[in-house]
Amino acid sequence: MATASTSHIDHDAIIIGAGFAGIYAVHKLRDELGLDVLAFDAAGGVGGTWYWNRYPGARVDIESVHYSYSFDEQLQQEWHWTEKFCGQAEILAYLNHVADRFDVRRSVRFNTRVTGVTWDDAETVWTVTTDRGESYRSRYVISGAGTLSVPKQPDFPGVDDFAGEVYLTGNWPHEDLAFAGKRVGVIGVGSSGIQAISELAKTAGHLTVFQRTPNYATPIGNAPTDPGEQARNKANYRAIRDASRRHFLGLPYTEVQPSALAVSPEERRKVFEDRWERGGFRLFIDSFADILFDKAANDTVADYIRERIRERVTDPATAALLAPKGYPYGTKRPPLETDYYEAYNRDTVDLVDVKANRIDRVTPRGVRLADGTEHELDCLVLATGFDACTGPLLAMNITGRNGRALAEHWADGPQTYLGLMAAGFPNLFMITGPQSPSVLYNMPLAIEDHIDFLAEAIIYLRENDLDVIEPTVGAEREWVAHTNELAQATLLPDSPTSWYMGNNIPGKPRRVLVYLGGAPAYRAKCDEVVAGNYDGFDLTASRTLAAAA
Ligand code: N01
């Protein structure tokens, strides 16, 4: 497609990223809307998160049958997942398959990082610059840069001084690494650390885990794909996807009960045991609806998890250290595990409490703690997390109307409308952006919903001889207040460090980064906005389009 005047633009839309979001955005906008699109990715191939996070044990924690694209019936029928929760390599193979199938790569410049995104008020275009020194002008910019793609910078000194090997879970080398016989240290026990520790414990000569805050990890319940179940799923895929989109977290679970406090202790335990055995996020999201809202309800499940941890760890002192306390279950993103707690029963694995005795620095020989103890290591794995949700957007140096930087607009935390756009940043769409359900909604579905929404908006603009969409200041203000109110009604603000609240990064404003009303309420709001002819948005025509009219 050509816009009314193409003399001053290079592409209708520039897409940033070639992960789940970028791949679908290229297909949707190029193949369905007929736009001229160009995508960039800093990686050497497609995959996004699944390209970078190749650490041992990296695995999805939403069932693969659900954590996959729903937009093409044939695609979902033809792809075969070998396990219930597939490993990184298989998800990356899937994304490469999708990229091949829809011929996505011809629209992507790989090994190219976006370094600047600048709005030109007079011309009503974005200029996107890259680390190759090139710049491109486009009417629309779509960020598929991800939510957990900018690793946190270590907040202890000396990493560069370490004489051994340093690995970051979020940017893991592509070649096979051998840990056999080596002294390996892992800092961090979030989802990445827990998955990596479970695997590294099997081969490392000695593994030292540096734990600051123990986590409520629960069994993932992985297993090879059951052919009968797969056939049933494929026969009912449409209904499954519909049910997923009606569920808070985007999963077709239906067994949640209203309150953990409304049943007897025996009944409650039966539910917890059932969900624990069945694995995945069932304990978190399909047991009792008040777990994330009521401290007393939360205590019941937190006690249950602590009890199960103690059963699995032989040494009582280690078990006590691994048992989370002082913050509610689910207020840090719950990790899912396989044999994580059993790893600590090996003679070759030590747990070090770096809350009581914090990390002072990394030295050439290893990790030194505040009391002077030094743990000597050959390899150091940093599983220290990400500058979540806002980090990937801020890293691109986005400047909107009147030369105002996104960093300035968001100095006190993200300001968005629907977690998709920001006032003063016209035609810039942030797929699964801050204050959208994003990580609290099955990501492939969250991504599809956002891309379908923005594609529909572009069609609407086109049909009405318009080409600029931007949220009003009032709509943005209300959305920010709404997302903050929703968070206040939960236990999330009670967590001492959680990337959900931005407080895992020193100096980052403590603000909720996800929409906590659940996917169905969010989808209903988006439908309402569309039905109201993009209620809360200003829709206008660029000068070129107006002149051509
Ligand atoms: O990061 P995290 P992650 N000294 O922030 C510790 C997704 N994901 O990469 O809690 C000592 O959760 C920090 O300690 P504390 C998923 O959404 C999904 O593991 O701040 N420790 C914490 O233990 C997940 O939530 C999968 O006290 C320090 C850890 O590092 C998100 O990515 C797999 C420290 C960081 O944990 C992020 O997970 C993996 C310091 N100075 C990830 N600084 C799936 O299964 C930080 N830490 C799909």
Side-chain angles (χ1 to χ4, degrees), residues 59 61 152 155 189 191-192 195 212-213 332 385 497 499:
R59 182 174 295 285
D61 54 12
K152 174 185 168 178
D155 45 11
V189 292
S191 300
S192 308
Q195 287 184 333
R212 189 163 65 186
T213 311
K332 286 167 95 68
T497 57
W499 60 258

Side-chain angles (χ1 to χ4, degrees), residues 414-467:
Q415 316 281 320
T416 74
Y417 181 41
L418 304 177
L420 182 63
M421 298 193 81
F425 299 81
N427 288 358
L428 171 73
F429 298 95
M430 303 174 283
I431 300 169
T432 63
Q435 296 164 342
S436 77
S438 67
V439 292
L440 280 178
Y441 182 14
N442 180 4
M443 270 298 211
L445 303 191
I447 284 167
E448 287 180 341
D449 285 3
H450 262 179
I451 294 169
D452 291 347
F453 180 94
L454 73 90
E456 234 184 279
I458 292 174
I459 292 171
Y460 182 89
L461 290 171
R462 206 157 63 178
E463 287 173 352
N464 290 280
D465 294 325
L466 303 168
D467 57 359

Side-chain angles (χ1 to χ4, degrees), residues 25-184:
V26 166
H27 167 63
K28 182 86 187 180
L29 299 185
R30 185 193 66 189
D31 304 338
E32 291 188 19
L33 269 66
L35 298 190
D36 170 1
V37 308
L38 180 65
F40 296 105
D41 200 303
V46 298
T49 286
W50 301 103
Y51 177 94
W52 298 105
N53 288 267
R54 297 167 182 250
Y55 58 83
R59 182 174 295 285
V60 71
D61 54 12
I62 282 184
E63 291 89 333
S64 292
V65 67
H66 307 311
Y67 186 90
S68 49
Y69 289 119
S70 72
F71 72 86
D72 188 279
E73 177 59 14
Q74 220 181 323
L75 171 65
Q76 35 183 41
Q77 290 300 326
E78 75 194 10
W79 185 260
H80 164 68
W81 297 106
T82 64
E83 293 176 273
K84 198 167 182 180
F85 297 88
C86 283
Q88 171 270 336
E90 194 163 328
I91 304 165
L92 188 58
Y94 168 76
L95 289 170
N96 273 285
H97 168 76
V98 179
D100 287 340
R101 202 177 186 286
F102 296 98
D103 194 15
V104 166
R105 284 191 200 79
R106 74 179 155 88
S107 297
V108 186
R109 297 273 166 87
F110 293 106
N111 300 304
T112 308
R113 186 176 289 282
V114 168
T115 52
V117 182
T118 307
W119 177 252
D120 181 331
D121 262 331
E123 297 293 330
T124 332
V125 292
W126 286 103
T127 300
V128 174
T129 50
T130 74
D131 61 357
R132 291 170 176 259
E134 299 162 328
S135 62
Y136 302 84
R137 287 153 71 86
S138 74
R139 185 72 73 212
Y140 302 105
V141 170
I142 291 103
S143 169
T147 48
L148 295 155
S149 52
V150 172
K152 174 185 168 178
Q153 292 299 314
D155 45 11
F156 36 78
V159 174
D160 292 341
D161 303 339
F162 184 55
E165 303 144 36
V166 179
Y167 302 113
L168 206 59
T169 49
N171 185 4
W172 197 263
H174 285 217
E175 58 274 17
D176 281 342
L177 302 175
F179 293 98
K182 292 188 176 162
R183 297 166 303 174
V184 181

Side-chain angles (χ1 to χ4, degrees), residues 316-334:
T318 306
L321 257 188
L322 286 167
K325 45 193 134 347
Y327 72 97
Y329 167 59
T331 58
K332 286 167 95 68
R333 205 280 205 163

Side-chain angles (χ1 to χ4, degrees), residues 224-305:
T225 296
D226 175 310
E229 196 180 332
Q230 177 175 257
R232 281 192 299 282
N233 284 336
K234 290 202 178 205
N236 295 304
Y237 231 142
R238 190 180 295 263
I240 289 173
R241 299 298 197 175
D242 286 348
S244 295
R245 285 193 154 94
R246 287 195 301 271
H247 179 267
F248 190 96
L249 201 67
L251 289 163
Y253 294 168
T254 54
E255 294 170 61
V256 70
Q257 298 186 22
S259 170
L261 305 174
V263 295
S264 69
E266 295 72 29
E267 282 174 78
R268 192 164 56 223
R269 190 173 179 89
K270 231 169 107 188
V271 170
F272 289 155
E273 258 158 23
D274 174 74
R275 307 302 191 265
W276 177 276
E277 294 308 325
R278 286 160 74 194
F281 282 119
R282 285 187 185 272
L283 184 68
F284 177 46
I285 204 72
D286 202 34
S287 58
F288 296 102
D290 54 353
I291 277 177
L292 208 52
F293 298 89
D294 185 307
K295 178 67 167 57
N298 194 285
D299 284 345
T300 65
V301 66
D303 284 344
Y304 176 80
I305 296 171

